[in-house]
Amino acid sequence: MKPAPFKYHAPSSVEEALHLLAELENPKILAGGQSLMPMMNFRFMMPSNIIDLNQIQELSGIEQRGQTIYIGAMTRQHDIHTSSLIKNAAPIISDAYDLVSHRQIRNRGTLGGSLCHLDPSSEQPCFISALDGTIDVLGSNGQRSIGIEDWTSMYMTPAMLETELLLGTHFKPWPLGHGWAFLEYSRRHGDYAIVGVAVLVTVNENQEITKLAISICGISFAPCRLKVAESTLIGMRADQHAIDVAAQCVDSIEDIMEDAHNSSEYRRHLAKIYTQRAIELAFQRANNTHHGQNTH
Amino acid sequence: MDKIHIKVSVNHQAYEREVDSRCTLGDFLRNDLGLTGTHYGCEHGVCGACTVLLDSKSVRSCLLLAVQANGSEITTIEGLANDDGTLSELQQAFTECHALQCGFCTPGMLTTLTELLQENLSPTEAQVKSAISGNLCRCTGYQPIVDAALLAASRLKAKLIHSAK
Amino acid sequence: MDIIDSKLLAKQAYIGSRTLRTEDTALLKGLGQFVDDIKLENTLFSGVLRSPHAHAKIISIDTIQAAQLPGVHAIYLHKDLPPSAQKRLPLNTPNAAITLVMTQEILASSEVCYVGEPVAFVVADSRYIAEDACSMIEVDYEILDATSDCLDALKENSPLSHTTAKDNLIATLPLSYGDIDKAFSSSAVIVQDIFSQNRGSAHPMETRGYVAEFHKATSQLTIWSAGQAPHLEKKTLIDMLDWDPEKIRIIMNDVGGGFGPKAIFYPEEALVAIAACDLNRPVKWIEDRREHFLSGSQEREQYWNIALALTQEGKILGIQLQMTHDNGAYLQWGVILPYIGVTTTPGPYVVPAMNVDLKMVFTNKGPTSPVRGAGRPQAVFAMERILDKAAKVLSMDRANIRQINFIQPEQMPYNVGFIYRDGKAMIYDSGNYPQCQTLALQKANYDTFASRQEKAKLEGRHIGIGIANFVEGTGLGPFEGATVRIQQNGRVTILTAAAAQGQGHKTTFMQICADQLGIDLSLIDVIAADTNAISMGIGTFACRITVTTGNSVFLAAQNVRSKVFSLAAFLLQCEVSQLDMADGIVYVVDQPHKSKTFSDLARVSQGIPGFSFPKGVTNGLEDTQYFLPSQAAYCNGTAVVELEVDVETGQIQILNYVMGHDSGKLINPLIVDGQVQGAVAHGIGNATLEWMRYDEQGQPITTNFGEYLLPASEDVPRVSIVHLETPSPLNPLGVKGAGEGGTIPAAAAIISAIENALDDASIFLKDTPMTPQRLFEILKKPATAPQH
C-alpha cells in the first residue's frame, strides 16, 4: 500500500503556501498526515502535489488574545491536550482529547487538519461547535472568519475555497465555574465516536440554568447543536427533569445518518443516552465548582 | 520522480540520503538505512507496529514521509538497548513477563512504552493500557505487556531513588 | 507407553519450569529476521493485480502501458507461466466426498471467483513502482452473478459460484453413530435452534510474504517464507514447477504470527519462484494488509441447525445436526475444517447417538481454511448454547446440566463414536472434565454469582455469567521429526522442520533436550523451519508441535544420551552404570578426573580414519526420530466469563475471565499461560468485535482495521488460568497441545453471559458477533418464548 507519485513542497511561510495552493495542479495540504496519509497509502487520494505545512512555525501555538483563546491550525493535538491554559479555560477540550484516537496520532495530528477533514464522527469539530468557535482562513482576497455553524459545506467538505488556507480557530472560553462534559460512544478506546456529545452549562446560585450549549457529532455531516434543548432549558433547574427534556429534543432531529455498521435508529438512541449522560456530568461539575468558590 | 536530500539522526547516528518524495519514513528506515527492526503491519496507521520516536514523540512511521523527518532525531527499537548492548529495564521486563511471542508488534510496544515511562514512572495499570491502546498484538493478549511495563516502571523508579541517595 | 529405563531418565531441571525464552533477545533489539527483513543483493520487488469483482469472466488484459513504465522488469499473466504452473493448485488434503475439486490457479486464466483473486504479477525495482504498474494494467471483465450466502447458494435458482460447475455443493458428508431414532423417539425433551457464526480471520501482525532466490549455477531454488509449513510449501512447489526435489529449499526465519492462514500454499509463492528463475534475480513479494483482508484465508462462517434430545432429568440422549459450511471460492484444506467442527460437537459430554448432515458450499467470497480454533469454536458455540437452552427449558442450573452429562475420568479412554480427521476412531485418551469445570467455577466464584447479580440489579447494573466446555484433538500425526546432534565443538544442535510463529518452540525443544543431556540451554542451538534440516515434515497447525516434535526431540535426545554413555564407557574403559554426565562432560562418578567432553566424544564418533567402532557403538552422537502418535491427544478446558452489559448502549465489559485448562504435562508453563491469554483475545474478537462482511454481490465491506475491529489492550482482561495436568498416555512426555484452547469456548461463554445479564429471560442469543448494535435490535423487540 504505497502512495502514488507526487511532487513535494515544504513552504516556510503562509504566503508561500498560498501561492503554491493557487499555482499547483491537483494540490493537497499535508498537515498532521494522520487522515491524509492512510488515504494516500490506499490510493483513495492521489494528489499531484503535496504542500507540507509542517515547517510554517507561525501556524502553531495556543494563546490568550484578550477575551478569546486562539489555537493555530497546525497546533498538535497533543499540545492542546496537555496545555494548562486550555485545561483551565476550556476543560471540555482536554476531556475530549482523552477520547481522540491514540497518543501516536495525537502527537502528529492537528486541530486544523481535523477541522478541514471534517469526519462526521470526529470529536474536534464537535467541541469547537459547543464553544461557538470561529475559524480564520486566508486566501488571495485576504483573511476572513467563518463561524463553526457555517463551517460545514457538505459531507467532509469545509466552507473554504480550494485556494484558501486555514490559519487557526478561536473561541471565547465559558465563565469560570461552568460545567462541562465530553462523552462519546465508541466500540473501542480511541475509535472514532459513533456518537459524541459536548455540553457546556452555567448555573446560578439557585441551580437554574443560565447558559447551555449541546453539540452532537456522529449523527449528521456537521456537529449538530441541539438549539431547541438549549433554549428550552434556560431558566429550568439543573436536575433530572431538565435532562429528560433535553433528551426528548433529540427526537426532533430530522435526518440522522447511517452506514453499514450503525443504523440511524441506533445513532438516535445513542445520541439520547449520551446527551443525558453528558448533561448530568456537566451539571455535577457546575455544582461542584459552585460550592465554596466565588463565581462571576 | 524528484529526489530530495535529507539529513536525519537515527539512534544517535547521523545519516544523509537522497529520498523519493513519496517514500514513507518506515520504508526509509527499513530499506535505505537497513534498520529492519521497525515493522509495517497495516500501512494505514492503526496497528502501531511501525511506531518510532521522532524528537522523543511516538509517531506512526507509515504515516510520515521520509522527507518530513529531515533534521529530526529518531529512535527506533534498535536504539533502546543500553550502550553496552545489554537489555534496557523495559526490554528485560518484557522477557521476564513473556510480553512478546512473535515479536512483530514489539517495536511499537517498546517505543510507545518508552515514551510513557519518560512521562510517568508510576503509571497505573489503566494508564499503561491506555498508552498502548493504539498498538495491536495478536499473540500475547496484552496483559503480559502491561505487566512488563509496570515492572519496568517500578525498577526504573527504584533505580532513580537509589541513585539520588 | 514405553517403560523408561530409570538410568536413562535424566533429572528434570527444565521441563515444567518457567524458562525465559531464548528467542527474545534478538527480537527485543530489533534484530529479528522476518521475511521482509531479508535483504539480498539485486532483489526485485513485486505486486499482484487482483480482481475487483466477486465473479467475472476475463475478456482481455492489456499490459502494454504498464510494461513500459520505467522500473518494471516483467509482467506475468496466466499464459506466461510455465505449463506445470498453469494447472490448478494441488489439493493437499483430498477426500472422496468432494464432488467438485476446485482449487485456485496461481493467476486466473479466464474466470475470477472472489474479490482479490490474483490476475497479474508485476516485478519491478520497488514495490512503489510495482503498484504504479498494476494500476496501469487494463482488464476487460464481463461481470457475472455472484453468490454471497451459502444457504442461498444451495437453492435451485442460485447463480453458480463457478460457471464450469453444475451447482455450488462441494461435498455432502453424512456422519453418524448410535441409534439416533431411538434417542429422539424416547426423549422427554427436544431442544432445537439455528446458530450462525461470523466470518473473520486471524490477522497476524505480519502479513504473508516470500523471497525467492534462484542460483543458476547450481539450479538451487531457495525461498524464505512467512509460512507455517515448510515441507508443504516445498512439495507443492515441486509439483507446480516440476522441480528437482533435492534442489529446492524452503526456510522460515522469524514469522510474525500465523494462527492458521499461513499454513496453506498460496499462489504468490509460486509466482516469486517463477519470476526469480525467469529473471535470474531474487524476487520479493510482501502482502499488504488490504491484500490480506481480500486473499488471506478466513473462516468461521457456518450455519448450525442443532437439535438435542434429553431425558426429563437433563441427560443427553442424542444430537441431530445439519451444518452448512461457507467455503468461499476455492478449496484450500479439503473437508477438514468443517469436519473438525462437527466431530468436536459432543465435547466432554456423553452423547450416545449423533447424526450429522454436513454440506460444504462454494461462494464467491474469500477462500477459507483453519483459523485459530479451526472450526471448533462454532461447534462449541452450538453445543453450549443448545445446552443452555435445555437448561432453561428444564429449569436447571447451567453448570449442573453440564456436570451430569460429563464423561467421567474412569471412562477414559472414551470412544466418542466418530472417526476423527486422522482416520482413526475418535477416542479421548485422558482428561478430568468434571474437575476442570469444578475448579474453573470455584475460581470464578460461581456459587456466589446469584447474589452479586442481585446486588448489581439494585444498583441498576446488569451482570451475567456464562460457562462453556470444550475438548480438542491435538498433536495430530503423522509426525514432525527432529534430529539431535552433538557437534565437534561440544555444542548440541536440534534440527527440525517444525515452524514457529511466536510459540516459543525453540526454547521448548531446548528444555526437553537439555534435561536429557544434562546441559544448560546456552549449549544448545536450534535449526527450525528449514526443509534442509530434516527430510520430511508436515507443518505447524492444530496444536501439534509440542506433541510431535517435542516427543521426537525427547526420544532423539534420549538415544543420543545412550550413545554418549556407550562410547564414553568404551573410551574410559568402564561400565555405563559407573558414568554420569553434566554440563557437556561425561565422567566416572567415583573418579571424576576420568572424563571425556562432548567435544572429545563427538570427534571420535564422527569417525577417525582407521579407527573401527567397537561392537554396540554406532557412528555419530546424533539421532533422528519421527515420533508417530497413534492418534490425537485430547486437551480440554472450561471458560467461565462474568461480564457487565450496558443495556442502554449494548456495550459489554468483561469483569472476570477464568479458564480451566488441561493440556497434559506442561513443558514451559510461562509459554502455555501466554498461549491461553493470547488465544482468549482471539475468542473475544470472535464474540463481539471481528466481523468480515461481504455484501450481496460478494464485495467485501470491511477491508481495513478501522472497520474490522481487532481486540486492543482495553478489550482483553487478565485471564485467570487454572491449570490441570492430566498427562496423555499416548506419548512419552505426556503432553497435549495448548495453542487454541483459549479461543475455542470463548464466544459460547461470552454470549451466554450476555444473555444471562439481560432482564428478559425469554431472550435467546444465537449469533456472533454480538455487537452493541445487534444487541440493541434484540432488546428493542418484544420478547419471544424459546422454542421447544
Side-chain angles (χ1 to χ4, degrees):
Chain A
M1 277 165 53
K2 309 296 180 193
F6 55 81
K7 274 190 81 75
Y8 173 81
H9 311 268
S12 44
S13 71
V14 171
E15 291 74 45
E16 205 187 327
L18 276 178
H19 176 75
L20 290 168
L21 202 49
E23 295 296 314
L24 293 172
E25 182 206 322
N26 189 17
K28 193 78 182 134
I29 299 280
L30 176 61
Q34 307 301 286
S35 301
L36 179 60
M37 286 297 296
M39 291 199 289
M40 285 172 61
N41 288 346
F42 271 116
R43 298 198 180 202
F44 293 154
M45 296 208 78
M46 294 188 282
S48 310
N49 289 283
I50 288 287
I51 302 169
D52 181 351
L53 298 183
N54 286 280
Q55 299 199 19
I56 306 176
Q57 305 292 359
E58 63 197 274
L59 285 174
S60 291
I62 306 168
E63 52 187 50
Q64 182 102 39
R65 292 180 178 178
Q67 297 277 4
T68 58
I69 290 181
Y70 182 88
I71 305 176
M74 285 298 292
T75 313
R76 304 284 178 203
Q77 293 164 13
H78 168 83
D79 293 339
I80 306 170
H81 190 195
T82 54
S83 154
S84 46
L85 171 61
I86 295 291
K87 255 195 197 31
N88 289 326
I92 191 173
I93 296 180
S94 318
D95 270 17
Y97 276 119
D98 284 343
L99 304 170
V100 171
S101 196
H102 309 284
R103 55 172 51 222
Q104 299 95 339
I105 305 298
R106 296 192 301 265
N107 280 339
R108 289 298 296 181
T110 63
L111 175 58
S114 175
L115 288 172
C116 289
H117 187 61
L118 267 188
D119 190 308
S121 304
S122 176
E123 298 87 349
Q124 292 165 87
C126 187
F127 61 67
I128 295 296
S129 159
L131 286 163
D132 290 306
T134 304
I135 296 162
D136 292 343
V137 303
L138 182 65
S140 52
N141 292 336
Q143 185 170 324
R144 62 193 181 105
S145 295
I146 305 170
I148 184 71
E149 65 277 7
D150 299 317
W151 179 243
T152 304
S153 165
M154 52 187 197
Y155 178 63
M156 293 180 78
T157 310
M160 184 170 84
L161 299 175
E162 279 176 14
T163 49
E164 283 178 316
L165 201 64
L166 195 157
L167 292 178
T169 318
H170 47 95
F171 60 88
K172 186 156 178 261
W174 278 49
L176 200 64
H178 74 274
W180 78 94
F182 194 103
L183 297 177
E184 77 179 31
Y185 177 73
S186 65
R187 292 297 312 279
R188 302 168 304 175
H189 176 116
D191 286 341
Y192 270 120
I194 292 172
V195 165
V197 182
V199 174
L200 294 163
V201 67
T202 54
V203 300
N204 63 20
E205 342 41 81
N206 299 328
Q207 300 303 305
E208 290 156 345
I209 298 163
T210 50
K211 192 172 170 202
L212 178 64
I214 305 170
S215 188
I216 307 175
C217 65
I219 58 176
S220 64
F221 297 164
C224 178
R225 284 286 292 268
L226 211 53
K227 294 260 181 222
V228 177
E230 290 172 7
S231 50
T232 307
L233 263 61
I234 301 295
M236 286 181 74
R237 282 186 68 81
D239 60 15
Q240 188 59 45
H241 178 59
I243 294 172
D244 293 340
V245 169
Q248 265 189 320
C249 291
V250 173
D251 280 326
S252 62
I253 301 172
E254 287 196 356
D255 286 305
I256 294 196
M257 63 182 214
E258 71 175 9
D259 61 22
H261 307 291
N262 296 286
S263 68
S264 68
E265 192 191 351
Y266 184 54
R267 286 178 195 265
R268 185 185 296 275
H269 173 80
L270 290 172
K272 259 181 153 149
I273 290 165
Y274 277 84
T275 297
Q276 290 172 308
R277 294 182 184 181
I279 296 175
E280 190 179 341
L281 180 57
F283 281 171
Q284 280 169 19
R285 284 172 167 158
N287 287 336
N288 283 341
T289 48
H290 246 285
H291 291 142
Q293 228 190 14
N294 292 328
T295 56
H296 296 310
Chain B
M1 183 88 291
D2 49 338
K3 290 269 192 194
I4 301 174
H5 185 86
I6 63 170
K7 289 184 183 173
V8 289
S9 173
V10 184
N11 302 325
H12 300 299
Q13 187 167 337
Y15 297 91
E16 273 192 60
R17 291 286 191 279
E18 305 283 315
V19 296
D20 282 344
S21 52
R22 63 171 168 166
C23 178
T24 55
L25 178 59
D27 276 340
F28 172 71
L29 293 168
R30 290 179 49 78
N31 302 329
D32 290 62
L33 302 186
L35 294 167
T36 56
T38 301
H39 299 146
Y40 269 5
C42 77
E43 293 183 282
H44 52 284
V46 182
C47 80
C50 72
T51 305
V52 298
L53 298 174
L54 180 81
D55 297 327
S56 303
K57 289 270 192 310
S58 63
V59 295
R60 308 280 205 225
S61 64
C62 70
L63 300 187
L64 271 160
L65 298 170
V67 295
Q68 292 186 290
N70 185 38
S72 291
E73 170 68 51
I74 297 171
T75 304
T76 68
I77 182 177
E78 290 98 333
L80 295 180
N82 298 325
D83 291 336
D84 62 358
T86 54
L87 297 179
S88 69
E89 287 294 354
L90 183 61
Q91 289 167 320
Q92 181 62 31
F94 260 58
T95 187
E96 288 178 32
C97 296
H98 191 32
L100 68 156
Q101 291 185 23
C102 79
F104 203 78
C105 76
T106 307
M109 292 291 181
L110 286 174
T111 50
T112 303
L113 288 169
T114 297
E115 181 182 47
L116 174 70
L117 295 178
Q118 276 163 4
E119 293 165 2
N120 182 358
L121 276 182
S122 302
T124 60
E125 180 158 334
Q127 284 171 326
V128 174
K129 282 192 160 181
S130 177
I132 59 169
S133 61
N135 293 79
L136 295 176
C137 173
R138 286 304 264 167
C139 293
T140 65
Y142 303 102
Q143 205 55 58
I145 296 173
V146 175
D147 291 344
L150 293 171
L151 178 61
S154 69
R155 286 176 175 171
L156 286 166
K157 201 159 104 168
K159 248 188 185 167
L160 206 60
I161 293 169
H162 181 80
S163 68
K165 288 204 178 115
Chain C
M1 155 109 184
D2 297 320
I3 311 283
I4 307 297
D5 190 318
S6 59
K7 238 197 299 237
L8 294 182
L9 190 66
K11 77 166 165 41
Q12 293 179 348
Y14 280 109
I15 289 182
S17 80
R18 302 176 77 87
T19 306
L20 299 187
R21 300 191 331 162
T22 58
E23 292 91 332
D24 289 354
T25 303
L27 293 170
L28 286 166
K29 289 184 167 186
L31 299 174
Q33 281 290 294
F34 296 88
V35 71
D36 195 18
D37 302 340
I38 294 169
K39 309 272 183 219
L40 303 174
E41 266 201 70
N42 286 324
T43 298
L44 291 171
F45 303 86
S46 58
V48 176
L49 179 68
R50 298 178 183 278
S51 168
H53 305 296
H55 197 195
K57 271 203 159 62
I58 299 173
I59 306 300
S60 65
I61 307 178
D62 183 347
T63 61
I64 294 174
Q65 241 206 324
Q68 286 167 353
L69 187 67
V72 173
H73 289 253
I75 300 180
Y76 298 90
L77 304 179
H78 182 268
K79 62 177 174 59
D80 303 314
L81 302 170
S84 58
Q86 291 189 7
K87 302 188 312 258
R88 292 186 178 276
L89 290 174
L91 183 61
N92 289 316
T93 50
N95 187 294
I98 299 174
T99 53
L100 180 54
V101 180
M102 184 64 77
T103 57
Q104 209 170 175
E105 294 167 301
I106 64 173
L107 287 174
S109 58
S110 56
E111 184 178 339
V112 288
C113 297
Y114 69 98
V115 174
E117 182 166 354
V119 170
F121 187 63
V122 176
V123 183
D125 285 339
S126 74
R127 173 70 179 211
Y128 290 73
I129 294 172
E131 290 190 17
D132 295 342
C134 280
S135 69
M136 294 164 80
I137 298 175
E138 288 178 27
V139 186
D140 189 12
Y141 291 104
E142 178 196 321
I143 299 176
L144 302 169
D145 285 335
T147 55
S148 180
D149 176 81
C150 60
L151 294 177
D152 290 340
L154 284 175
K155 293 181 181 152
E156 275 283 315
N157 51 359
S158 166
L160 291 171
S161 307
H162 295 277
T163 57
T164 51
K166 63 169 171 49
D167 59 31
N168 297 317
L169 186 66
I170 301 168
T172 298
L173 284 139
L175 286 156
S176 65
Y177 67 86
D179 188 340
I180 197 67
D181 293 327
K182 178 153 164 262
F184 275 73
S185 59
S186 66
S187 63
V189 175
I190 295 173
V191 221
Q192 176 270 339
D193 221 315
I194 300 175
F195 303 99
S196 75
Q197 292 259 292
N198 47 307
R199 252 185 194 241
S201 190
H203 284 286
M205 282 297 104
E206 182 204 29
T207 52
R208 302 181 289 127
Y210 314 97
V211 179
E213 183 182 38
F214 176 56
H215 193 233
K216 197 163 182 181
T218 56
S219 300
Q220 176 75 30
L221 177 62
T222 306
I223 299 178
W224 288 268
S225 162
Q228 296 175 220
H231 279 283
L232 180 149
E233 293 180 19
K234 174 178 170 178
K235 286 184 280 191
T236 308
L237 278 167
I238 289 169
D239 284 347
M240 291 305 284
L241 305 177
D242 198 15
W243 206 264
D244 180 344
E246 297 299 340
K247 295 282 192 179
I248 176 171
R249 180 181 184 188
I250 313 291
I251 305 169
M252 282 128 202
N253 287 330
D254 294 307
V255 178
F259 313 113
K262 288 179 176 174
I264 64 172
F265 186 86
Y266 286 94
E268 293 89 353
E269 188 165 13
L271 291 168
V272 293
I274 290 165
C277 296
D278 193 38
L279 300 169
N280 207 20
R281 288 175 64 170
V283 176
K284 175 184 271 191
W285 177 78
I286 303 297
E287 181 187 45
D288 64 38
R289 186 58 60 178
R290 182 158 187 275
E291 290 180 291
H292 193 81
F293 270 102
L294 302 180
S295 62
S297 218
Q298 315 167 358
E299 63 124 324
R300 297 267 201 276
E301 188 169 5
Q302 294 172 344
Y303 291 94
W304 287 63
N305 186 337
I306 187 168
L308 195 62
L310 307 112
T311 66
Q312 194 58 50
E313 295 73 36
K315 276 263 205 208
I316 299 168
L317 294 172
I319 300 175
Q320 289 261 36
L321 172 63
Q322 253 179 342
M323 201 271 266
T324 312
H325 171 75
D326 184 326
N327 181 81
Y330 293 105
L331 275 172
Q332 300 190 129
W333 207 245
V335 305
I336 289 174
L337 178 54
Y339 194 92
I340 295 171
V342 299
T343 53
T344 296
T345 315
Y349 310 113
V350 175
V351 177
M354 184 157 172
N355 189 56
V356 180
D357 168 20
L358 165 60
K359 289 192 166 58
M360 291 179 65
V361 185
F362 279 126
T363 58
N364 293 116
K365 297 189 294 201
T368 60
S369 73
V371 170
R372 196 173 201 173
R376 298 182 195 83
Q378 298 93 306
V380 170
F381 189 78
M383 185 62 180
E384 297 295 309
R385 290 272 64 217
I386 204 71
L387 268 175
D388 281 350
K389 193 173 192 182
K392 250 188 207 177
V393 165
L394 292 168
S395 301
M396 285 177 77
D397 176 84
R398 290 170 293 158
N400 198 28
I401 196 172
R402 288 163 168 83
Q403 197 72 27
I404 65 164
N405 280 295
F406 277 137
I407 297 162
Q408 298 301 314
E410 315 81 73
Q411 290 175 282
M412 295 295 182
Y414 181 83
N415 188 331
V416 176
F418 282 128
I419 302 298
Y420 190 49
R421 62 184 283 196
D422 58 6
K424 310 239 171 81
M426 195 168 149
I427 298 176
Y428 295 159
D429 53 312
S430 66
N432 192 331
Y433 308 142
Q435 197 193 30
C436 187
Q437 178 175 286
T438 300
L439 290 176
L441 292 176
Q442 264 171 25
K443 187 92 179 162
N445 294 314
Y446 181 77
D447 52 356
T448 51
F449 177 74
S451 67
R452 282 201 294 288
Q453 193 178 44
E454 269 311 303
K455 185 161 169 290
K457 270 206 175 95
L458 296 172
E459 294 166 13
R461 296 168 51 225
H462 294 80
I463 66 173
I465 198 163
I467 309 167
N469 291 297
F470 76 94
V471 176
E472 178 197 0
T474 69
L476 223 56
F479 53 77
E480 197 70 50
T483 299
V484 173
R485 173 179 299 139
I486 303 184
Q487 305 285 0
Q488 69 189 57
N489 59 10
R491 293 187 65 78
V492 178
T493 312
I494 301 169
L495 299 104
T496 176
Q501 309 84 42
Q503 302 93 324
H505 288 160
K506 287 188 176 178
T507 303
T508 305
F509 301 154
M510 287 159 83
Q511 286 176 254
I512 294 168
C513 179
D515 277 357
Q516 291 310 300
L517 297 177
I519 52 176
D520 191 78
L521 294 198
S522 60
L523 287 176
I524 308 177
D525 302 303
V526 181
I527 296 185
D530 184 340
T531 55
N532 272 15
I534 194 165
S535 65
M536 290 174 279
I538 306 293
T540 299
F541 43 82
C543 305
R544 60 187 300 271
I545 295 300
T546 305
V547 173
T548 52
T549 315
N551 280 288
S552 301
V553 171
F554 177 75
L555 295 168
Q558 265 197 335
N559 288 344
V560 170
R561 179 185 174 89
S562 177
K563 283 183 155 192
V564 165
F565 279 143
S566 297
L567 181 59
F570 172 72
L571 294 174
L572 294 170
Q573 295 175 334
C574 64
E575 295 297 316
V576 166
S577 57
Q578 293 174 276
L579 293 170
D580 202 349
M581 67 166 80
D583 303 320
I585 300 172
V586 188
Y587 58 94
V588 178
V589 176
D590 303 329
Q591 302 166 279
H593 61 276
K594 281 182 79 180
S595 66
K596 288 286 176 194
T597 64
F598 274 9
S599 172
D600 299 332
L601 295 168
R603 285 168 189 272
V604 171
S605 177
Q606 281 169 12
I608 296 166
F611 173 82
S612 297
F613 289 105
K615 200 171 166 142
V617 175
T618 53
N619 57 308
L621 291 183
E622 63 181 69
D623 192 51
T624 299
Q625 288 293 319
Y626 287 89
F627 173 69
L628 304 171
S630 56
Q631 56 150 82
Y634 287 84
C635 76
N636 66 280
T638 306
V640 185
V641 180
E642 187 170 325
L643 51 76
E644 179 162 351
V645 180
D646 180 336
V647 294
E648 286 188 310
T649 62
Q651 183 76 295
I652 68 155
Q653 199 202 346
I654 299 174
L655 302 172
N656 193 31
Y657 203 116
V658 172
M659 277 294 305
H661 191 260
D662 190 344
S663 54
K665 179 104 189 87
L666 301 184
I667 305 297
N668 187 327
L670 180 68
I671 288 178
V672 175
D673 282 349
Q675 290 301 304
V676 175
Q677 175 76 34
V680 166
H682 284 239
I684 290 171
N686 292 159
T688 58
L689 288 164
E690 299 179 48
W691 199 352
M692 183 62 205
R693 302 179 71 174
Y694 286 79
D695 69 14
E696 287 97 48
Q697 280 76 45
Q699 279 292 329
I701 299 173
T702 53
T703 54
N704 59 67
F705 280 152
E707 295 172 308
Y708 183 91
L709 305 179
L710 290 178
S713 59
E714 291 170 356
D715 304 304
V716 186
R718 185 187 300 276
V719 178
S720 301
I721 308 171
V722 181
H723 282 295
L724 292 87
E725 286 185 62
T726 312
S728 173
L730 300 177
N731 63 76
L733 288 170
V735 297
K736 304 178 183 180
E740 294 169 272
T743 305
I744 294 169
I750 291 169
I751 300 309
S752 181
I754 293 173
E755 185 179 289
N756 182 246
L758 304 176
D759 291 321
D760 186 345
S762 68
I763 291 178
F764 185 59
L765 301 177
K766 304 195 283 190
D767 311 297
T768 56
M770 190 44 60
T771 62
Q773 158 86 80
R774 266 182 146 177
L775 194 55
F776 166 71
E777 295 296 324
I778 289 166
L779 291 173
K780 261 185 358 183
K781 282 200 176 75
T784 50
Q787 288 172 286
H788 282 243

